[in-house]
Each structure stands twice: as structure tokens, then as C-alpha cells.
Amino acid sequence: MRETVTRDMVANPKTHYGDAKAATRHFMTQRITGLINIVFLGFLLFIIVRLGGQDRADMVGVIGNPLIGLPFAVLIAIVAVHMRNGMRDTLEDYVHGRMFSLAMLLNTLFCLLVAVAAIGAIAKLVFWG
């Protein structure tokens, strides 16, 4: 039988509530992906400004360039990881029990679906035009 966790147990630093290594890994992943997103923001703004007012052929030409398309695909993967971790924080606060497991599964699947679809579209432009 599981012990009921109270607010006092969580607030007391002498109780070991949760997994310290997983929490630290989650914290560091969120901060590192956030920093990488800030760095890549300049790259993303360059693409947006470069493609402003252009037609589809110009867009394919810019994103189809491997020096632009491949870093853009990496950016999308990092944003998907950051999105999953950010949503996990919200789910941990508001969803509990079996619903948390289901919500995390759906969150992971959604982020994976978005990343695969976007990276697939970019790979198509880079490798097949």
C-alpha cells in the first residue's frame, strides 16, 4: 500500500520525495533546450525575413539548401523536446494518478507527431526539392 503524500512531506527537505536525478535531468534539459531555442531564434528570424513576400519556388530554394534545411530540422527537434518538457510541468501540477500517465503518453505522442511531420517536410525539401 502506498503512503499518502502530504504537503508537509513535500515541503520538508529531509524527506526524499521524488527522483532527484530525474528532476535534475528534466530541469537541465528544459534550460538547455530553452537556451538553444534563443540562439536559434536569430536563424529562424533570418529565414522568416528572407522568405517574406517570396513565392513557393524561392521558399523551396532557401529551405531546400542543406545549410539552411538541416539546422532548421535540428531546431524543430529541439523545440519538440522543449515543448514536451514544458507541457510535462503543467501536467504534473494539474493531473494525477492514471490520468497523468495517459496525459503524458498523449503529450509525448503529440510532440513526436509534430516533430516527425515537420522534419519529414523539411527532409523532403532538402533531399527531393
Side-chain angles (χ1 to χ4, degrees):
M1 185 172 185
R2 292 184 61 176
E3 177 182 2
T4 303
V5 177
T6 64
R7 181 175 283 194
D8 293 330
M9 289 173 64
V10 174
N12 183 357
K14 292 184 179 180
T15 59
H16 296 287
Y17 177 71
D19 183 0
K21 288 182 182 178
T24 302
R25 184 176 52 247
H26 172 74
F27 177 84
M28 293 304 295
T29 302
Q30 189 70 358
R31 296 319 179 265
I32 291 169
T33 57
L35 181 65
I36 292 170
N37 288 340
I38 290 171
V39 171
F40 268 111
L41 181 62
F43 177 68
L44 183 62
L45 289 174
F46 165 75
I47 292 173
I48 291 171
V49 170
R50 171 69 175 85
L51 294 176
Q54 302 297 320
D55 59 0
R56 184 182 186 287
D58 289 333
M59 187 248 345
V60 170
V62 170
I63 296 178
N65 180 352
L67 295 175
I68 300 292
L70 296 179
F72 196 51
V74 170
L75 171 64
I76 289 172
I78 292 170
V79 167
V81 169
H82 189 77
M83 176 173 60
R84 181 188 176 274
N85 285 341
M87 196 60 201
R88 177 183 178 168
D89 292 339
T90 304
L91 292 174
E92 285 174 346
D93 290 341
Y94 296 107
V95 182
H96 304 288
R98 286 187 174 173
M99 286 301 295
F100 174 74
S101 298
L102 176 64
M104 274 305 296
L105 174 67
L106 293 173
N107 178 38
T108 301
L109 290 175
F110 176 76
C111 293
L112 187 63
L113 178 72
V114 168
V116 167
I119 292 171
I122 291 173
K124 181 188 178 301
L125 289 176
V126 169
F127 297 113
W128 298 283

